[in-house]
Amino acid sequence: MKKIYRVFVNITILTTVLLTHTNVYAQNSFDKWFKDNGLRIDYYHTGTDKTEQILFKELKFEEKWGGRKNNLIDKFAYGSYFVEVFDLKTKTLIYSYGFCSLFEEWQFTAEAKTMSRGFPESLIIPFPKNKVKVELSSRQYEDNSFKKIFEIEIDPADLAINYEKPVNAEVKKIFGKLEPENALDLVFIGDGYTKNEIDSFYEDVQKTAEYLFETEPFKTNKEKINIWAVAAISLESGTDIPHEKIWKSTALNTNFYTFRSDRYLTTSDYHSVRDYAGLAPCDQICILVNTETYGGGGIYNFWNITSAKNSHRFEVFVHELGHSLAALGDEYYADEVSYEDIYNKKLEPYQANLTTLVNFDSKWKNMLDENTPIPTPVTKENLKTIGVYEGAGYQKQGIYRPYISCKMKSLGVDFCPVCQKAISEIINFYAE
Ligand SMILES: [Zn+2]
C-alpha cells in the first residue's frame, strides 16, 4: 500500500478540457422542460484501475428540487465525470453538471490493480416533463477528453419509476430566507446520532454554520446560502473505526479507514445518503459524524464528511467544503511523493487553484502582479502575494499553487484569493 501523507483526505483527480458538445443551450427555461421535483438515477460504478462500467439499478422520484432553475447548464466543467440531459425529441441540452466520486479514488489504490469493485452512485436531475436522454461521461487521464460511459432514455411516465418515500427524518431549516432555487442549499445530515442525541446534532449544525459564516467568502455571501438539517437517527452512537475494531450501526454507514487510511472518513453507501438528502432541497450534502476522532473527506458534488466532535471540526469542514462545493484541489504536498500518478503533468488540471503551467492563461494569471516572477519564490515578503508557488496536489514538483498558505493547504489560515474567487463564482451560480 502507498504511504499516505494527506492531512485531509480528498482527491479530485484529473483535469480540464472544453466540453465538445455544440448543442443548443437551454438556459432560463426550467418550466418548459422540468417539473418542480427531482429524479434520481441509481447505479453501481464498477471496474478496476483501468476499466469502468455502469450497472443501472433504478429510477427514483424525489419530492424536492432544490437545485438550479436559472443556470441549467454547467459552465465550469470541473470534475471527473459529466452528466448531460437532452430533450429526446429536439436533442436540446437542457441540464448538465460535473462531479467526482469515491470509485475514482479507489481506482488509484493498490487494490484496484488486483480486482474489480463496485460503488453505489446516483445522478440527480430535475424531473423532466418529456422524454429525455441522460448521458454520463468520464474524463480521460491521457488527454482530458470526456468519453461516454453510460446513457439512458427516460420516459417520465414510466410506471417503473419508484415513488416510494425511502426514509423518514425530521427536517429543519437552520438558516436562510431565500427560495431554494435562488440559494445555495447546504443540507447537513447527521450520522451516528441516536434518538437521544438529536439535540446534539442540531447544535453541531448550528455551530458549524456560525463558523462558516465567519469564513470568507461565505461571510460576504451569507445571504445567498440556506442551511438545512436532516436528523437521521442511528441505531448506535459513533461510527466505524475498523483499525480500532470499533463497528457501529448507523444511518449513513460512515467509516474511517477508507482505502486503509486511518483518517479517511467516508461512506460508500451513497444510495442511503441520497435517501436522506432527498428530504430537503439539496445542492450540497454535508455529513456530520458523531465522533471525536479526527478525520473527514470531501468529493466534488458528491458529499463532504466531517467528525462533528473533534476540536478541528469547523476548519476541517470548511476545507472539505472547498473540495465538495468548488472542486478545489489540495494545495499541500509532502517531501516524499505519494499518489504520484493522480495528476497528469502534461495537462492543465481542472482545479481552479492548481496549475501545471501548461495553460496558465486559463487560471489565475490575470490576478498576478506583472512583476511577480513565475515560479514565485517562497519568501517572507511574498506571504500575501498571489503567485505561482511550486508544490501542491500532493506533488513537490511540477504542480503549483497560488498562495504560500491557504485553507486548502493548512489549518488556521484563510482561503487564498484564488480559492475565494472560485468559491464565490460557484455560490453565485447556484444563487443567481
Ligand atoms: Zn487556495
Side-chain angles (χ1 to χ4, degrees), residues 169-326:
E170 188 178 54
V171 179
K172 277 190 190 175
K173 196 177 198 185
I174 303 294
F175 179 86
K177 297 188 189 77
L178 294 173
E179 289 299 314
E181 64 259 35
N182 300 321
L184 168 66
D185 293 277
L186 303 182
V187 174
F188 285 81
I189 313 171
D191 195 43
Y193 295 85
T194 61
K195 207 174 170 186
N196 296 330
E197 293 171 322
I198 289 305
D199 287 345
S200 168
F201 165 66
Y202 287 126
E203 198 180 303
D204 289 338
V205 176
Q206 183 71 38
K207 285 181 180 165
T208 306
E210 284 167 15
Y211 180 87
L212 180 71
F213 291 135
E214 288 303 312
T215 308
E216 288 294 6
F218 298 97
K219 192 175 177 180
T220 303
N221 291 292
K222 186 177 174 180
E223 300 306 323
K224 299 172 189 166
I225 298 170
N226 290 334
I227 305 268
W228 303 84
V230 177
I233 292 172
S234 293
L235 207 60
E236 293 184 280
S237 181
T239 187
D240 301 342
I241 311 178
H243 52 290
E244 294 177 11
K245 297 186 177 170
I246 295 170
W247 294 90
K248 302 285 183 179
S249 173
T250 63
L252 305 182
N253 285 310
T254 57
N255 62 275
F256 284 95
Y257 201 57
T258 305
F259 310 144
R260 302 184 186 278
S261 165
D262 291 359
R263 289 172 165 181
Y264 197 10
L265 176 60
T266 71
T267 172
S268 56
D269 189 1
Y270 200 68
H271 296 160
S272 293
V273 172
R274 286 295 340 173
D275 284 347
Y276 285 98
L279 298 177
C282 179
D283 291 319
Q284 284 283 312
I285 297 171
C286 308
I287 299 170
L288 295 182
V289 182
N290 189 18
T291 176
E292 288 178 7
T293 305
Y294 179 88
I299 298 179
Y300 177 55
N301 277 345
F302 200 66
W303 43 235
N304 67 69
I305 302 185
T306 317
S307 303
K309 304 296 187 192
N310 183 270
S311 56
H312 296 294
R313 56 187 176 165
F314 301 132
E315 291 204 63
V316 172
F317 164 71
V318 174
H319 171 95
E320 301 301 351
L321 188 61
H323 290 303
S324 68
L325 174 65

Side-chain angles (χ1 to χ4, degrees), residues 331 353 406 416 419:
E331 294 183 26
N353 63 334
C406 165
C416 74
C419 287

Side-chain angles (χ1 to χ4, degrees), residues 322-371:
H323 290 303
S324 68
L325 174 65
L328 296 173
D330 280 310
E331 294 183 26
Y332 57 81
Y333 60 96
D335 285 344
E336 291 174 58
V337 174
S338 60
Y339 285 96
E340 189 164 9
D341 302 329
I342 279 175
Y343 294 99
N344 184 342
K345 291 177 186 171
K346 294 192 186 86
L347 304 169
E348 186 65 30
Y350 66 73
Q351 287 84 355
N353 63 334
L354 303 181
T355 183
T356 47
L357 293 175
V358 170
N359 182 11
F360 186 47
D361 285 357
S362 68
K363 293 297 173 64
W364 60 92
K365 194 175 181 182
N366 60 1
M367 294 171 77
L368 242 60
D369 188 280
E370 59 182 25
N371 299 319

Side-chain angles (χ1 to χ4, degrees), residues 64-204:
K64 312 273 186 200
W65 174 251
R68 299 168 268 135
K69 281 191 178 174
N70 292 320
N71 293 318
L72 297 177
I73 308 303
D74 179 286
K75 66 175 182 181
F76 299 102
Y78 296 150
S80 300
Y81 305 101
F82 205 73
V83 187
E84 291 167 298
V85 182
F86 298 93
D87 175 59
L88 196 61
K89 204 164 153 190
T90 62
K91 302 198 167 31
T92 310
L93 176 65
I94 56 177
Y95 188 74
S96 62
Y97 70 94
F99 71 101
C100 296
S101 77
L102 198 58
F103 170 77
E104 74 172 304
E105 296 194 6
W106 173 79
Q107 284 189 299
F108 284 86
T109 65
E111 188 181 74
K113 291 182 169 63
T114 66
M115 64 184 290
S116 287
R117 205 171 152 181
F119 293 75
E121 290 178 12
S122 306
L123 308 180
I124 312 293
I125 64 171
F127 201 93
K129 285 185 174 170
N130 307 308
K131 288 180 184 172
V132 293
K133 185 166 81 170
V134 178
E135 294 185 2
L136 174 62
S137 299
S138 174
R139 203 187 286 270
Q140 303 300 295
Y141 185 83
E142 297 72 29
D143 62 359
N144 266 340
S145 66
F146 278 105
K147 183 184 158 197
K148 185 162 71 181
I149 56 171
F150 174 70
E151 70 171 40
I152 183 170
E153 287 186 10
I154 297 172
D155 178 354
D158 186 350
L159 295 175
I161 295 174
N162 184 344
Y163 276 73
E164 199 176 309
K165 190 179 181 182
V167 289
N168 221 341
E170 188 178 54
V171 179
K172 277 190 190 175
K173 196 177 198 185
I174 303 294
F175 179 86
K177 297 188 189 77
L178 294 173
E179 289 299 314
E181 64 259 35
N182 300 321
L184 168 66
D185 293 277
L186 303 182
V187 174
F188 285 81
I189 313 171
D191 195 43
Y193 295 85
T194 61
K195 207 174 170 186
N196 296 330
E197 293 171 322
I198 289 305
D199 287 345
S200 168
F201 165 66
Y202 287 126
E203 198 180 303
D204 289 338

